[in-house]
Amino acid sequence: MASVDIGIDLGTANSIITLNGKGIVINEPSVVAYDRKKNLVVAIGEEAYKMLGRTPEYIVAIKPLKDGVISDNTMVELMIKEFIKKVTRNALVKPRVIICVPSMVTDIENRALIEAAISAGARKVCLIEEPIAALIGAGIDISKPTGTMVVDIGGGTADIAVVSFNGIVESTSIKMAGNKLDAAIIKYIQQKHKVLIGERTAEHVKIKLANVFSPSGRTLEVKGRNLLRGLPEKIVITDYELKEALQDSVDEIIAKIKEVFERTPPELSGDILSSGIILTGGGGMLGGLDRLISSCVGAPCYVAENAIESVARGIEQAFKYSDELLDGFQQISLYRYR
């Protein structure tokens, strides 16, 4: 009977699920809507995301992952169960599952993910680190003894790593990514314009207007609630303002890239100067970020094709490379389904 292989990129903002032979089959927000009166899950994924900020008091829309790790085990387990059920359609064979984790995740956090997948019906669970998955998914041959740097900026964490010969040479992971960028936009507009906007609005503004390298004066209308009068209000913000709002957050990411460079062997640094830095993840698509990193670090920088899906595509291909990867891929045989 054919094996069912499921790859899970369990992100703070979005969860992407792959199925062997079919590629990406689910790409939905990591949100669970829960009815506290009935103790019942109302919706998961895209349907639950639409409920953010729009539900009565007894229904809460929960983001069960924070900064790239599980903050609510029960909700994550329910979400994984629902996603696995969707892609396997109650198949008789229990699936093998690979889950992607940040490069600096702890053993306790790893175990929480593994147990959630086992409870959801997996017969075997493996973990792969995000930088490895991102590079494989971006089409980079990591088997050569040549240095490649990847900066994977998701919703909760930014993973920065130098990879050579199938292994991670230097890496760091910081909790400065898409959600923190959104929060910075909310805080800036609140302080400067005295208008409160929601998370979805902040994300929309970031995608449509942000240019952290060379703003040109573009504008965007934003709707929110005036904090002084308590009434709805429209304001117009510019990309210059958005650059100011995001400056500290972006500077923190660039500072960590420099730190990783400082610890990287000179031979590999020379390789990166030739091959460049690869940006993956939704946050890697932030307007002007590639050019800003290049100007600050001195090495070329470019956004991977299908940057948002790079990690998920790498997870799907990881089933083929499980015997070759020297680092970043862990076979958790202890937790096999019995």
Side-chain angles (χ1 to χ4, degrees), residues 173-233:
S173 180
I174 57 172
K175 294 176 179 180
M176 173 55 68
N179 290 350
K180 293 287 179 69
L181 297 176
D182 295 342
I185 293 170
I186 292 171
K187 182 179 179 181
Y188 180 87
I189 293 176
Q190 182 177 341
Q191 291 180 339
K192 184 168 183 179
H193 295 279
K194 301 298 185 287
V195 170
L196 181 63
I197 64 171
E199 294 176 8
R200 292 182 64 180
T201 301
E203 184 181 23
H204 175 75
V205 169
K206 177 183 69 180
I207 293 170
K208 292 292 183 182
L209 191 63
N211 189 328
V212 294
F213 181 70
S214 57
S216 59
R218 292 187 303 122
T219 61
L220 186 69
E221 184 180 84
V222 178
K223 300 172 185 177
R225 174 166 55 85
N226 186 289
L227 292 170
L228 302 178
R229 295 184 291 118
L231 298 174
E233 183 174 333

Side-chain angles (χ1 to χ4, degrees), residues 167-178:
I168 294 176
V169 179
E170 289 292 344
S171 71
T172 191
S173 180
I174 57 172
K175 294 176 179 180
M176 173 55 68

Side-chain angles (χ1 to χ4, degrees), residues 21-39:
K22 295 185 178 179
I24 294 172
V25 291
I26 290 177
N27 184 353
E28 296 188 17
S30 302
V31 182
V32 179
Y34 189 75
D35 188 327
R36 291 189 292 194
K37 281 186 177 179
K38 299 179 180 178
N39 291 325

